[in-house]
Structures are given as structure tokens and as C-alpha cells.
Amino acid sequence: MEASDDDEAIQLSAHTLAALQEFYEEQRVKASQVFNDRSFGSVEEDWQLSQFWYSDETALCLAKEAVAAAGKGGRIACISAPSVYQKLKELNTEDLSVCILEYDRRFSVYGDEFVFY
């Protein structure tokens, strides 16, 4: 092996480079999203944290059951269950108090409804 072999720059194939650029663009778009009262699905699962992420169907079912159990004027706390919290917010439950208790500070974008624990 010659010294010049070690000096060669490592290059990605055009296909791999395009996939990497697409990934970075998706990450940039996600990072620049503006959160508002109707933006609930922008925080994604982090496999390093102990959170309960459910399929859309299951999260919606759990959210509806929680609403029925809490009743009008009730209070619902989602503990490490962000997908259920997101479905509750999509249901437009203005006559309920809903909060999310999370260790993941990314959920602080939800304002006063986020409780760090």
C-alpha cells in the first residue's frame, strides 16, 4: 500500500449522496416548522426515551376513551404518551383540561400543557 492510497478522499455514490441530502432537507424542514394551536404531530418518536407511541388508530381510540371517561370539564394527563396527547388535541377538546407529562423537552413547544418530570 502506498501513501497516496491513504490520501484519497472518500466519496459517496451519487445515489447515496442524494439520499443523504434528502434526509438533511427533511430534517431542516422539520426543525423550521412553526408550532401553533393546531400543530400537534410535528414531534416524532425518539427511541432513546421511554415513551408510548401508538399507531394513529390506537392513539385515537385511547383519546376518545379518555374524553368519555373524563367527561365535560374533566382533566386528562398523558404520561409519556405523546401520540395520545396529540390525538386529544386533534379532537379539539376545548371543554377539557389536557396536559402532557414528559421527560422529553421537545414537547415544551406545547406551552403550559407541557409538564417536565
Side-chain angles (χ1 to χ4, degrees):
M1 182 186 297
E2 296 180 22
S4 64
D5 290 342
D6 290 339
D7 294 336
E8 288 184 35
I10 298 174
Q11 294 184 348
L12 298 174
S13 70
H15 180 33
T16 303
L17 182 58
L20 182 60
Q21 288 172 333
E22 182 180 349
F23 170 78
Y24 283 141
E25 178 61 17
E26 289 172 359
Q27 296 301 308
R28 186 193 66 74
V29 168
K30 286 178 186 175
S32 67
Q33 288 178 334
V34 176
F35 288 89
N36 59 45
D37 289 343
R38 299 284 179 238
S39 176
F40 302 108
S42 299
V43 178
E44 294 182 358
E45 186 170 8
D46 182 339
W47 289 91
Q48 301 299 317
L49 301 173
S50 295
Q51 298 167 324
F52 296 99
W53 289 86
Y54 300 102
S55 68
D56 283 342
E57 182 181 332
T58 300
L60 181 59
C61 181
L62 290 170
K64 287 179 178 179
E65 288 294 325
V67 168
K72 188 173 183 173
R75 299 173 61 160
I76 300 172
C78 297
I79 303 171
S80 293
S83 56
V84 175
Y85 170 81
Q86 291 169 345
K87 290 299 178 190
L88 283 165
K89 299 308 293 181
E90 288 174 11
L91 289 174
N92 200 16
T93 53
E94 294 178 4
D95 58 339
L96 292 171
S97 172
V98 179
C99 68
I100 181 166
L101 285 75
E102 260 294 344
Y103 181 78
D104 186 346
R105 291 193 184 270
R106 294 178 301 158
F107 292 96
S108 65
V109 298
Y110 298 134
D112 293 340
E113 291 183 353
F114 167 76
V115 178
F116 176 77
Y117 82 103

